[in-house]
Amino acid sequence: MSFELSNHSAAATAMACCPTAEDQPAGGSYAKYIEAYGSDEGGIVKYAFMKRYTKRPCLCFVQACAVHWVLFVLFIALNSLVGTKYMALSTSDFGLHLWEDDYKIRVDAVSEGAKTCRFDPLVANTVIAQQEGSELYEVGRYGIDIVYKAKSGNMLTVSNLEKVKELEDYITNHPDYAKFCRRVPGQKTCLPAKSVIMACHPDSSAPTPSCLHPKSQPPGIVDCTNKEGCPRSQWSLNETFTTLKLRDYASAQFGRDWPETNFLHRVDASFGGGSQVAVATRTSFEFGFPLEGFDALNDRPKKQQEKVEAFFAKLFSDKLFSYNADNPNLGYNIGFSGGNLFQLSFMTTLAGDAQFLFLAFLVVFLYVMFMTGSLFLAVISMLQIFACFFSGFHMYRLLFGNPYLGIFHVQAIFLLVGVGVDDVFVFLDHFEAAARADPTHKTNLWARLSWTWKYSATAMGVTSLTTAVSFFMNGLSGLPGMASFGIFAGSMVVMMYISMVLYFPAVVCFNQRYFKHQEFCCGVNRICSKKNNTTDSPDKSEEKPALVRFFEDHFSHFILNHRLKILVVSFAAIGTHLGINLPQLIPEKSSPPALPSNHPIQILINAYKEDFIRGGGSQNTEINLVFGFDAKKPLNREGTDKLGINFGEGSSSQGAGGTINWNSRFSTVDDRGDNLNLLLAWPCWVQLCTSAEVANSDRNAGGAPAYKMDGCWPRDFQATANLMDKERGNPEGTLWTQLTGPSPGRAFSEVFARAVQDKDADWMLNDVLPYVFGEKGDHKNEDGQYMPRWKWAITSMKLTSTASIGSSKGMELMKKWEDWLTDEMSKGVCRQEVTSNGETFKRGDILTPFISSDGFARFRMTDKLMSEMVQGLAVSVAVALVVLVLVTGNIITGSIAAFTIALIVVCVLGMVPVMGWELGVSQVIGLIMVPGLSVDFTAHLAEAYMGAKYDDREHRVIHALEHSGVSVVSGAVSTLLASGCLLFCTISFFKTFGTMIFITIIFAIVFSVFFFPALMAMIGPVGEFGDWHHLISPKLKREYHGEKQLRVVARRSTRDLEAIETKEAQANAVQPAQEQEAPQPQVAAPEQQKPQVPKAAATFPDEELTL
């Protein structure tokens, strides 16, 4: 059977849905309510505390604004005075880690070790000539890396290479380049850039000097016939010579053939093995320190850094950033990085995206102005929402003690906009409904505001409570960043509700008093204040707004007539959607690109990830063998900040990760300051390096020389010692045994001097010092220089696999490496016992190595992220169930509402693979917002359903749609407009964030206004069924007041209708007197009698309404 709406008075409906004093039984709960909380003048409810708003609207408005202003000023003042201790804003520290995870602790131990042991003997004891040092003290190396990626075909064509040379010439010929480039030792000239475009130093022994010899140094594709070498200004490309050199390099073996390997480093992995085609090449420009005007590498390093970065900024703005756009016809695009170039590029892109962020708020502002009809209300509403961001942070900081504010937290303001605008619409819709509920409210602002506050505070309270609790439950997450985001979002929702119930009444009263009757509304013509044009005369009947009438008279008609069809179609669509897409849901295997593929930074990142993978690309998992710490507990986490920002000081501050637990044997020195224990550990060190490099498919070890262990410098000393044995005629290993024995004597100084002599100038800088860390010792050497006390060391090696293997296989890989280390430490020289300073121990006990890997820590975090997401969503829905049952007062209604929210959550989850995403950090952050965003709309309708003064499903559904339909749709549209603007952003996080919100709102509004009312019309509670209030106390029993105005009649066939009409005619003929004397339903109203509802509609038999 289907239903249609009958014609009736809108005023009568409003009186039935929102009863006044006349509808209440004498001496009932209504009288007790008036006695306790307000007054009852002429049957009109008035809250005593609302009188102040209506009597002194200007003062209340100013006071309310002052409170928000004070909180904002307090926010600024505390940040100025206290700094990061009050608010630690970070765009890089996301806090998405497992603070107590073993691998996270090991990674942080390495970081803390680097911050603690900053003594560099080369910096402290050596005088470096101007711009000849490669590494700035406490800052590191500075350079520019440029990647050239062919759009299609071969990058190594002469035409492409000539354009590459033009760009390189632009940089090297820049007037300021010579002030910062790294110089050739002992000269004032710059070192050449490391590029495929290089001219060799010709073989002077040949009759005709030439670079045709395969071993010409340095490797390049530019010919030179000058015995003294060719300056860059004389370089020219010759296709014949280039082809010959490329043939030689393509047949070389990476890692074994030198200097060909240096050339192979500068082209992608597709080049080689006979192939002379490369899709990408790269160039590196080195910069040297100390700069002119500075005495040493540690002389005001930050000032030197600023000077170099200023030069980088010039190159960025003048050439690099616009290079691809300025040269669209080139056969390649460039990507770049180095120094502050990434930051400059990101900030430039962020500035471009800022216009879309601004547009989002502007669109919402215009929408609010259109819907409210008032520029004043729109301005104040948006300012109030922004003010709650700061008051919410105060609550988050002072109540929960958390200063961290990351990029996720800043994006939460979009959540606040959605919740805040929804609350504004709810309050204003109730304010308009108050005038329709009782015409005397038009002239009695006190009563009207009291009525509005009573119903709107309840409606907003239901949604705010469920939303806030849903976010607060994420505070239980094991990922500190996610937990802090949930707490921050919940705090903002709470402060938004407090502001709405305490501040917004003053705004409405101020608007009614000073702007309602003005010819201009804040300088804008009355067209912007159309809702304020209605008369306040109680004698004039006011028609409901068109949208309200649509939901009451048409949309509810559609829902009731097609409830079964809606549910069948919904469940079929949901089942199909989830059945197809949920099985495709997989955890994120690698970090998604932060920028579009054509962005210069992303071009470089993708090239390093996909093309330059010889010996392991930038995305290959890297493992480290770390020596010198307490392997079982390298860090003490007591008293640390789980977010890793050291309570606002930042992750780079010393002690952010904890206090280091050292292995004292590693750093033990004798009375001369020599670290003899370290020499004793070298054989075990070499054993571990050699074993780790052996190709092994189980451990994804690629094998030397392509995949070798970097930082294994004791092996270089071993090779030098063996070479010296050979020269002296001694058995191999003689000098090495003496060097690593209890009494090395002069063996170390001899081997060290020979190693430095045989290696190139950068051996110590590149292969030793970056991998060993120490502090300033107490002893001086023969030259009067302080000797270091080495505290710890590290070696590193790339694996053949990347993060794309996934967390489950990644954790299997972790276990295999742990088993390998345990096995190695139990055999060979690592288990040999040695004696030092009267103590006997194994060589391995000096090193106490452990495996550290950012990739392994990420595997653990990703695995935890998935379980956290499932747990968080389940808890949020469960909490929403409890809260909805409590606030609606009905178990059935609360359960159906929570079930609807659960369906929204799983449907949004199923959209992740549809969008081509994997389940990563951005998606999980978006998903934890889903319950909080979706609960608003369903909770509004659930609260309105139970607030209807009827005991049947049909009337309750109609009332819910009429009462809250407009507010729900208005709030959804505002959030859709804001999130829609984010879809045009360049930075992928903003785009993903906006997409997640957009999808969530679409599903939330569809389920709320279609699925939920249809389900409630089918199985919603009838009468008191499911109510739990009266179980606590009979006084809490729900009361149904007013005459039931039945607004649905059955649609039947013509024969059935004729039979019914005949039956009614016969009944009227038999009892004409009774029909004439039957009392007509009356609804009293001051100075006006409400139109009657047709009796046929009011007395239609209940049994004929059965589905």
Side-chain angles (χ1 to χ4, degrees):
M1 185 179 294
S2 59
F3 297 89
E4 59 184 6
L5 297 176
S6 61
N7 295 324
H8 64 281
S9 165
T13 302
M15 292 299 294
C17 296
C18 307
T20 57
E22 289 86 343
D23 300 317
Q24 305 291 340
S29 61
Y30 180 83
K32 297 178 181 179
Y33 170 82
I34 292 297
E35 180 181 353
Y37 298 106
S39 61
D40 186 11
E41 298 178 3
I44 301 175
V45 178
K46 297 179 181 178
Y47 283 145
F49 64 90
M50 283 290 155
K51 183 176 183 180
R52 180 179 176 85
Y53 290 102
T54 58
K55 295 299 182 183
R56 296 184 176 181
C58 183
L59 177 62
C60 290
F61 177 73
V62 171
Q63 289 176 339
C65 290
V67 171
H68 284 89
W69 177 253
V70 168
L71 290 174
F72 173 73
V73 172
L74 182 63
F75 176 85
I76 299 298
L78 287 173
N79 277 284
S80 300
L81 297 175
V82 183
T84 56
K85 285 291 186 180
Y86 191 74
M87 185 189 76
L89 180 62
S90 174
T91 57
S92 58
D93 297 320
F94 297 147
L96 298 177
H97 52 240
L98 301 175
W99 192 241
E100 298 298 336
D101 177 67
D102 290 343
Y103 280 98
K104 174 59 179 173
I105 290 176
R106 294 175 184 181
V107 169
D108 287 349
V110 171
S111 176
E112 287 298 322
K115 289 182 286 187
T116 302
C117 303
R118 295 181 174 181
F119 180 74
D120 188 335
L122 191 66
V123 174
N125 301 328
T126 306
V127 177
I128 303 295
Q130 302 291 187
Q131 295 178 222
E132 292 186 12
S134 63
E135 191 165 338
L136 186 59
Y137 183 64
E138 294 187 354
V139 175
R141 294 174 178 249
Y142 254 75
I144 296 177
D145 292 329
I146 300 180
V147 164
Y148 309 91
K149 182 66 181 285
K151 295 177 181 178
S152 62
N154 186 13
M155 185 64 209
L156 296 176
T157 62
V158 172
S159 59
N160 283 341
L161 294 173
E162 285 177 343
K163 291 296 182 180
V164 169
K165 183 177 180 299
E166 287 181 11
L167 177 59
E168 295 178 359
D169 288 343
Y170 173 85
I171 296 175
T172 56
N173 294 334
H174 193 283
D176 293 332
Y177 181 74
K179 300 177 183 178
F180 304 102
C181 68
R182 188 180 179 196
R183 295 174 179 172
V184 178
Q187 302 179 28
K188 293 263 185 177
T189 59
C190 297
L191 283 170
K194 295 179 180 178
S195 170
V196 296
I197 304 175
M198 297 184 72
C200 75
H201 296 289
D203 184 3
S204 59
S205 63
T208 302
S210 171
C211 291
L212 282 175
H213 193 280
K215 302 297 183 182
S216 298
Q217 290 270 20
I221 56 175
V222 178
D223 195 11
C224 178
T225 58
N226 189 339
K227 293 182 179 182
E228 305 300 326
C230 300
R232 188 178 182 92
S233 59
Q234 298 179 4
W235 293 0
S236 62
L237 292 168
N238 178 281
E239 187 166 359
T240 302
F241 179 82
T242 298
T243 302
L244 292 174
K245 294 300 291 186
L246 292 177
R247 182 194 61 191
D248 292 337
Y249 296 140
S251 60
Q253 185 175 0
F254 180 79
R256 293 191 185 277
D257 295 329
W258 298 88
E260 293 92 332
T261 293
N262 288 331
F263 183 89
L264 296 177
H265 264 299
R266 299 166 199 158
V267 294
D268 72 284
S270 65
F271 182 91
S275 172
Q276 300 178 34
V277 176
V279 298
T281 67
R282 55 183 169 182
T283 300
S284 299
F285 299 87
E286 288 189 86
F287 291 82
F289 303 95
L291 302 178
E292 295 285 351
F294 298 87
D295 298 330
L297 299 178
N298 58 354
D299 179 13
R300 293 164 292 161
K302 295 296 182 183
K303 191 68 175 178
Q304 296 188 60
Q305 179 185 6
E306 291 174 4
K307 287 181 173 292
V308 176
E309 290 186 346
F311 172 64
F312 281 17
K314 288 181 183 179
L315 293 177
F316 173 82
S317 59
D318 295 345
K319 193 73 173 179
L320 295 179
F321 188 70
S322 60
Y323 184 86
N324 294 334
D326 295 341
N327 300 276
N329 297 324
L330 289 180
Y332 61 89
N333 287 320
I334 72 165
F336 51 81
S337 183
N340 59 331
L341 289 179
F342 180 88
Q343 182 182 9
L344 288 170
S345 184
F346 185 83
M347 295 306 296
T348 301
T349 306
L350 182 61
D353 282 353
Q355 61 183 333
F356 295 109
L357 303 180
F358 174 77
L359 178 63
F361 296 118
L362 178 62
V363 168
V364 173
F365 163 75
L366 294 175
Y367 177 73
V368 173
M369 186 173 70
F370 173 78
M371 293 299 295
T372 61
S374 170
L375 177 62
F376 172 77
L377 289 177
V379 171
I380 297 301
S381 297
M382 295 304 292
L383 290 177
Q384 176 187 2
I385 291 171
F386 280 107
C388 289
F389 179 86
F390 302 106
S391 58
F393 181 82
H394 286 306
M395 176 180 174
Y396 166 74
R397 177 66 181 89
L398 300 176
L399 186 61
F400 297 97
N402 201 330
Y404 173 69
L405 198 68
I407 191 171
F408 297 142
H409 300 66
V410 175
Q411 288 297 300
I413 194 170
F414 284 94
L415 303 177
L416 187 63
V417 169
V419 173
V421 170
D422 179 63
D423 286 348
V424 167
F425 286 144
V426 168
F427 195 97
L428 293 178
D429 286 346
H430 278 87
F431 189 74
E432 294 296 324
R436 299 192 299 270
D438 193 330
T440 58
H441 285 167
K442 293 184 178 182
T443 57
N444 193 326
L445 185 59
W446 182 7
R448 184 176 181 179
L449 194 65
S450 298
W451 191 98
T452 301
W453 193 92
K454 174 184 177 182
Y455 290 102
S456 65
T458 302
M460 292 185 297
V462 170
T463 57
S464 296
L465 179 61
T466 50
T467 303
V469 172
S470 175
F471 282 127
F472 279 134
M473 291 309 298
N474 286 288
L476 302 176
S477 172
L479 302 174
M482 191 176 296
S484 65
F485 172 80
I487 295 173
F488 179 67
S491 299
M492 288 197 303
V493 172
V494 170
M495 296 309 297
M496 187 71 230
Y497 177 73
I498 294 174
S499 179
M500 284 301 303
V501 298
L502 297 181
Y503 167 67
F504 206 68
V507 173
V508 172
C509 288
F510 190 82
N511 179 66
Q512 288 293 108
R513 178 67 63 87
Y514 295 100
F515 293 112
K516 182 177 176 60
H517 302 290
Q518 297 295 323
E519 182 178 356
F520 288 87
C521 180
C522 293
V524 179
N525 196 282
R526 287 284 300 271
I527 192 173
C528 291
S529 188
K530 58 188 178 186
K531 284 192 177 180
N532 292 332
N533 295 335
T534 57
T535 179
D536 281 345
S537 172
D539 297 326
K540 182 174 180 178
S541 177
E542 181 180 352
E543 188 178 21
K544 293 182 180 181
L547 283 177
V548 176
R549 286 185 280 111
F550 167 77
F551 274 101
E552 182 181 14
D553 297 335
H554 301 287
F555 190 77
S556 59
H557 164 79
F558 171 79
I559 294 295
L560 293 174
N561 275 308
H562 303 285
R563 65 187 88 174
L564 184 58
K565 295 178 183 177
I566 292 173
L567 294 177
V568 171
V569 171
S570 297
F571 281 115
I574 294 169
T576 304
H577 170 60
L578 299 182
I580 295 175
N581 296 312
L582 280 186
Q584 303 178 38
L585 195 65
I586 58 175
E588 185 178 81
K589 295 181 179 178
S590 60
S591 299
L595 299 163
S597 59
N598 62 346
H599 191 280
I601 297 297
Q602 198 61 48
I603 289 174
L604 180 133
I605 292 174
N606 291 342
Y608 281 145
K609 178 180 179 180
E610 302 166 1
D611 301 318
F612 297 101
I613 56 176
R614 249 187 283 259
S618 61
Q619 297 298 311
N620 286 54
T621 301
E622 183 177 70
I623 65 164
N624 304 304
L625 285 176
V626 184
F627 314 117
F629 294 83
D630 180 350
K632 294 183 178 179
K633 190 177 181 181
L635 275 183
N636 184 356
R637 293 288 205 188
E638 292 182 8
T640 58
D641 175 11
K642 290 185 176 181
L643 282 162
I645 59 172
N646 203 14
F647 304 101
E649 292 187 3
S651 58
S652 60
S653 61
Q654 187 171 335
T659 306
I660 298 175
N661 296 323
W662 298 109
N663 173 16
S664 59
R665 288 198 181 103
F666 187 91
S667 57
T668 299
V669 296
D670 59 16
D671 53 5
R672 296 173 51 191
D674 293 327
N675 193 333
L676 299 182
N677 279 4
L678 189 56
L679 298 179
L680 292 174
W682 279 8
C684 180
W685 193 330
V686 172
Q687 174 186 319
L688 293 174
C689 291
T690 304
S691 175
E693 290 175 343
V694 174
N696 185 289
S697 58
D698 289 338
R699 300 196 311 273
N700 295 343
Y707 294 85
K708 68 183 185 68
M709 184 71 77
D710 294 325
C712 196
W713 47 269
R715 189 163 52 187
D716 295 335
F717 283 99
Q718 184 185 33
T720 300
N722 291 339
L723 178 62
M724 294 173 67
D725 282 336
K726 183 177 180 181
E727 293 174 349
R728 295 176 180 180
N730 297 328
E732 184 179 289
T734 302
L735 193 56
W736 175 250
T737 302
Q738 181 183 354
L739 177 64
T740 57
S743 303
R746 294 184 55 83
F748 174 74
S749 58
E750 292 176 358
V751 173
F752 179 81
R754 180 60 181 272
V756 173
Q757 176 185 334
D758 290 350
K759 301 294 182 179
D760 57 45
D762 287 342
W763 175 67
M764 286 292 294
L765 287 172
N766 296 333
D767 297 336
V768 179
L769 293 178
Y771 300 96
V772 62
F773 302 83
E775 59 187 11
K776 186 177 180 181
D778 299 326
H779 301 82
K780 294 182 179 181
N781 59 18
E782 297 174 354
D783 298 326
Q785 299 173 338
Y786 280 101
M787 300 171 62
R789 183 181 183 186
W790 302 116
K791 300 287 289 186
W792 68 284
I794 188 172
T795 63
S796 61
M797 184 180 75
K798 294 279 190 179
L799 303 183
T800 58
S801 59
T802 66
S804 61
I805 63 175
S807 58
S808 59
K809 290 186 178 179
M811 288 192 288
E812 292 177 7
L813 181 63
M814 292 159 47
K815 184 178 186 304
K816 290 173 181 176
W817 273 103
E818 292 292 344
D819 292 342
W820 166 84
L821 181 58
T822 302
D823 180 62
E824 286 296 323
M825 294 299 292
S826 65
K827 67 183 182 181
V829 293
C830 288
R831 66 189 301 267
Q832 286 181 357
E833 292 188 346
V834 291
T835 301
S836 176
N837 295 325
E839 183 182 7
T840 301
F841 42 77
K842 297 177 182 177
R843 292 184 188 268
D845 292 339
I846 303 172
L847 297 177
T848 56
F850 62 76
I851 295 175
S852 170
S853 172
D854 286 316
F856 288 179
R858 180 180 174 82
F859 289 141
R860 286 269 183 90
M861 188 274 290
T862 302
D863 184 69
K864 183 67 173 179
L865 191 67
M866 298 303 103
S867 61
E868 286 278 340
M869 182 204 66
V870 174
Q871 177 183 338
L873 292 178
V875 170
S876 294
V877 173
V879 169
L881 168 64
V882 174
V883 173
L884 287 168
V885 168
L886 290 175
V887 297
T888 60
N890 190 278
I891 297 175
I892 306 300
T893 300
S895 299
I896 294 176
F899 174 68
T900 303
I901 295 169
L903 289 180
I904 296 172
V905 170
V906 294
C907 284
V908 174
L909 186 63
M911 288 299 295
V912 171
V914 174
M915 298 304 298
W917 297 331
E918 295 175 341
L919 205 55
V921 172
S922 299
Q923 289 72 34
V924 170
I925 291 293
L927 285 169
I928 66 173
M929 298 186 303
V930 173
L933 283 172
S934 59
V935 74
D936 265 17
F937 308 140
T938 306
H940 274 311
L941 293 170
E943 185 271 336
Y945 180 93
M946 295 310 300
K949 304 303 179 181
Y950 300 110
D951 58 0
D952 67 290
R953 299 187 183 106
E954 287 76 18
H955 279 89
R956 287 183 172 184
V957 169
I958 294 171
H959 174 262
L961 292 171
E962 179 267 342
H963 182 270
S964 299
V966 175
S967 300
V968 166
V969 173
S970 298
V973 170
S974 65
T975 309
L976 287 175
L977 290 174
S979 60
C981 293
L982 297 181
L983 302 182
F984 300 97
C985 289
T986 301
I987 298 175
S988 63
F989 172 74
F990 293 146
K991 186 178 293 186
T992 302
F993 187 85
T995 304
M996 290 295 295
I997 295 180
F998 196 91
I999 292 173
T1000 299
I1001 298 302
I1002 290 294
F1003 275 108
I1005 194 64
V1006 169
F1007 273 88
S1008 297
V1009 300
F1010 287 95
F1011 178 83
F1012 179 72
L1015 191 58
M1016 293 300 288
M1018 287 288 292
I1019 60 173
V1022 176
E1024 300 176 4
F1025 184 74
D1027 285 1
W1028 60 268
H1029 287 154
H1030 65 278
L1031 299 178
I1032 299 176
S1033 171
K1035 297 180 180 180
L1036 298 177
K1037 183 178 180 180
R1038 195 185 305 275
E1039 297 177 353
Y1040 302 96
H1041 305 294
E1043 183 177 354
K1044 178 179 178 181
Q1045 305 296 330
L1046 202 60
R1047 291 179 287 176
V1048 290
V1049 297
R1051 180 185 297 160
R1052 298 174 178 272
S1053 64
T1054 303
R1055 185 177 60 182
D1056 291 340
L1057 292 176
E1058 290 176 353
I1060 292 174
E1061 289 176 358
T1062 302
K1063 182 178 179 180
E1064 290 181 349
Q1066 294 174 352
N1068 290 337
V1070 174
Q1071 296 178 334
Q1074 288 88 336
E1075 291 294 330
Q1076 295 176 1
E1077 296 174 2
Q1080 300 297 322
Q1082 301 291 329
V1083 181
E1087 304 179 9
Q1088 182 179 354
Q1089 182 69 29
K1090 298 285 189 297
Q1092 298 180 12
V1093 176
K1095 183 177 179 182
T1099 59
F1100 200 87
D1102 288 343
E1103 61 271 15
E1104 294 189 50
L1105 293 174
T1106 305
L1107 285 173

